[in-house]
Structure formats: C-alpha cells, structure tokens
Amino acid sequence: MSVDRAEVERIARLAKLSLDDVEADRLTDDMNRILEHAERLRALEADDREAPVAPVDARRPPATRSPQAESPDALEASLERFAPDAREGFFVVPPPPGVGAGPGEAREVEG
C-alpha cells in the first residue's frame, strides 16, 4: 500500500491544512515510509502466529493479577500506622513555624 501526492493533498484538505509543494512531497514520502514499516510489522506478526502456545484451562480464567494483589491493600489499614496524628480520616499536620495554631491564637517563633 502506498499513497501518492494527490491522496496527501486530499487528506490535507479534509484536515483543513494548507501545504506548499515541499511539505506535500515530504508528507507523501513520510506516509509511504510509515506504511512500509506497518507492512513489515504485519509480516512479523504472521510469523509469530506459528509459535507454540501454552494450553489454557477453559474451566479457570487466566490470572490477571499477581498473588501479592490478593493481600489487603496497605492503605486499607488505619491511618495511625502511617501518621503520628490522624483524626476523622485525615492526617493532622502541625502548622508551619510562625503560623498560629488556630483563629486568634498566636504562636511563639523561636529564633
């Protein structure tokens, strides 16, 4: 399969692109190289179909997850395992230095 310049110009019109002569020639060449590469890949895929395949047990679907995926997710554990202070499902983070702990509360800045 290959494309000619008229096909490239038709595609450019459909895409509402304006191409000069140099761009149209370059795109024609590029598209033909892409199509040649796709044909070579298709030929390789045909060769691979003859490779032996392991038998499949129809009664049991193939495994899609590793055995480790069957263990509980670490994040399903309580937050206290990951953070020194967690309340109501949130991590409690101390305020940055110089910022009050609450509305109207001033905090001393060491320094």
Side-chain angles (χ1 to χ4, degrees), residues 2 8-9 13 25 29 42 48 56 61 71-72 78 85 87 89:
S2 65
V8 169
E9 289 172 349
R13 276 193 310 276
D25 290 337
D29 185 49
R42 195 171 296 130
D48 289 343
V56 176
S71 62
S78 66
D85 193 5
R87 294 183 213 139

Side-chain angles (χ1 to χ4, degrees), residues 37-54:
H37 186 72
E39 286 297 321
R40 279 184 267 159
L41 289 176
R42 195 171 296 130
L44 288 175
E45 289 174 0
D47 292 342
D48 289 343
R49 287 188 204 138
E50 298 171 6
V53 179

